[in-house]
Amino acid sequence: MNLLRKFLLPIVPIYYLVTWLRNKLYDWDIKKSVTYDFPVIAVGNLSVGGTGKSPMIEYLIRLLKKERNHIATLSRGYKRETQGFQVVEQDSRAKDVGDEPLQFKTKFPDIIVGVDGDRRNGISELRTLMSKPEVILLDDAYQHRKVQAGFYILLTAYYDLYCNDILLPTGNLREPRSGADRADIIIVTKCPENISKSDKDSITKKLNLGLNQLVLFSTIVYSDEIVNETGKRSVSFLKDINFTLVTGIANPKPLIEYYSSLGLRFNHINYPDHHNFSTKEIEELKKHEFIVTTEKDYMRLRPSFVDADLWYQSIAMQFVAGSDIFDKKIIEYIAR
């Protein structure tokens, strides 16, 4: 925590009161939420920063595609330069629709991907399309109380549990910890693959779950290949070269640790999360012979690196245990 954020501690009670009262107005039905007669699943967190929402959305897409559901995702399109509702196409630009929505559409071209800061309007627009979706996945919509999803998945990172945090601006919580009560499932993400039973029991106790809530634990799995539009290469290829790792994500530390554990030699250039690269920054990056980045950053960088060696490291979410329980709950909800 930096010094400025400590000085802002007196503001925390004010932020608490505002966010607590807002939630209560929805809970008491004074402010109205819209409900739907088709499946709407919201994925989100209480904290700012990366908890693994995109890998979770992609896991849900893969699961629901197996059940032959007609799926749509809806995001706000963070840091895009456009306004209102848009349908994302494979040839869309990240600056127009956001990097993560473009990532979803690129990886899953047969699903509908929409962006709209107003989730209520976005859902209405999606349902007016000729190919009307049967299931809508709301990305980063936990605090969007104008919409009441039928199923809520709350993510919290293993190294930064919401139960150990305080509200903005001193801490990283967007709303009080009591907001977790709205979740159907809480997933502790980015866990060590060998997380112990005692560690899981300790975290479960700290989270203080409600009677009908379930907690599961997941980890991030790195692909053994790097990818771009021309093809794939084994990560082992990187052992023979000096390359540059470029990241513009909330927490690049796990990726850095993974590459370091493989004995790779690389120069790391770090930018803020969802960074919009300037022309000057692009020109500087082009001086590097071989660049590896994250999939999200690749969506923003690729238009400027058509003829350059730009590759991305893909990741996936994997449950430490209990994937069958999670899958069953989602499928049962969809069936209802």
Side-chain angles (χ1 to χ4, degrees):
M1 185 188 303
N2 62 41
L3 187 60
L4 176 60
R5 297 188 82 179
K6 288 182 179 179
F7 278 125
L8 294 173
L9 185 60
I11 300 176
V12 170
I14 301 171
Y15 190 89
Y16 177 94
L17 181 61
V18 170
T19 53
W20 177 86
L21 181 58
R22 175 181 179 271
N23 277 329
K24 285 301 178 184
L25 291 175
Y26 280 105
D27 294 341
W28 295 332
D29 208 29
I30 296 172
K31 290 178 75 71
K32 300 296 182 182
S33 298
V34 176
T35 58
Y36 299 93
D37 59 359
F38 54 89
V40 177
I41 300 174
V43 175
N45 47 23
L46 297 187
S47 315
V48 296
T51 55
K53 293 184 293 294
S54 294
M56 181 74 252
I57 291 288
E58 291 182 3
Y59 183 97
L60 287 167
I61 293 170
R62 292 187 181 98
L63 172 64
L64 296 173
K65 278 169 63 69
K66 291 179 186 176
E67 302 298 314
R68 301 182 185 279
N69 291 287
H70 191 202
I71 308 158
T73 68
L74 180 62
S75 310
R76 62 173 165 160
Y78 184 60
K79 283 197 173 181
R80 64 186 171 116
E81 297 177 1
T82 57
Q83 299 292 324
F85 176 77
Q86 287 198 44
V87 174
V88 181
E89 305 293 349
Q90 285 183 274
D91 59 354
S92 295
R93 301 181 301 176
K95 69 178 185 177
D96 294 330
V97 298
D99 48 21
E100 288 163 336
L102 184 56
Q103 177 179 320
F104 298 150
K105 185 63 180 180
T106 302
K107 189 173 287 185
F108 306 100
D110 55 339
I111 72 166
I112 303 169
V113 177
V115 293
D116 198 331
D118 183 342
R119 304 305 201 285
R120 184 187 292 181
N121 181 71
I123 291 173
S124 297
E125 293 281 0
L126 286 171
R127 293 285 286 181
T128 63
L129 298 177
M130 187 174 295
S131 52
K132 184 165 63 175
E134 301 168 312
V135 182
I136 296 179
L137 306 177
L138 301 180
D139 177 30
D140 195 14
Y142 199 80
Q143 283 77 35
H144 204 92
R145 299 295 305 272
K146 289 182 179 180
V147 167
Q148 184 172 326
F151 200 95
Y152 284 92
I153 301 170
L154 177 64
L155 309 182
T156 184
Y158 171 82
Y159 53 80
D160 190 21
L161 299 171
Y162 66 76
C163 57
N164 296 333
D165 205 350
I166 63 172
L167 285 165
L168 292 164
T170 301
N172 288 318
L173 295 186
R174 300 172 173 179
E175 62 171 301
R177 286 173 283 190
S178 58
D181 295 344
R182 301 196 301 275
D184 295 283
I185 294 180
I186 298 171
I187 301 178
V188 182
T189 62
K190 304 185 179 181
C191 296
E193 289 185 44
N194 59 347
I195 183 173
S196 66
K197 183 181 183 302
S198 61
D199 199 3
K200 289 192 285 187
D201 289 344
S202 174
I203 291 172
T204 301
K205 186 176 181 181
K206 286 180 182 178
L207 294 178
N208 192 26
L209 304 179
L211 289 176
N212 296 317
Q213 289 183 308
L214 172 68
V215 64
L216 293 170
F217 298 83
S218 71
T219 189
I220 290 296
V221 177
Y222 293 95
S223 169
D224 58 3
E225 295 176 321
I226 56 172
V227 184
N228 69 12
E229 292 182 351
T230 65
K232 300 178 180 180
R233 281 181 171 175
S234 170
V235 171
S236 61
F237 167 81
L238 299 175
K239 292 182 178 180
D240 301 323
I241 63 171
N242 290 314
F243 66 96
T244 300
L245 176 65
V246 176
T247 58
I249 57 177
N251 181 22
K253 185 178 177 181
L255 178 56
I256 294 168
E257 291 178 346
Y258 171 66
Y259 275 3
S260 298
S261 72
L262 298 177
L264 304 181
R265 304 182 308 275
F266 57 93
N267 172 44
H268 178 215
I269 302 177
N270 189 36
Y271 295 93
D273 195 18
H274 296 278
H275 181 68
N276 286 323
F277 296 93
S278 68
T279 301
K280 183 179 179 180
E281 288 167 338
I282 293 292
E283 292 307 311
E284 286 297 315
L285 288 175
K286 284 183 176 180
K287 295 177 183 178
H288 298 264
E289 290 186 9
F290 198 98
I291 296 176
V292 179
T293 189
T294 69
E295 191 168 3
K296 185 168 70 172
D297 293 312
Y298 182 81
M299 295 299 132
R300 280 175 280 126
L301 286 169
R302 69 177 183 180
S304 303
F305 285 80
V306 176
D307 299 318
D309 266 326
L310 177 71
W311 301 75
Y312 69 83
Q313 172 68 61
S314 61
I315 63 173
M317 191 211 77
Q318 179 176 292
F319 285 101
V320 174
S323 61
D324 54 337
I325 298 172
F326 178 85
D327 294 358
K328 183 179 178 183
K329 281 192 169 290
I330 296 298
I331 293 167
E332 285 178 347
Y333 163 67
I334 299 296
R336 290 199 305 271

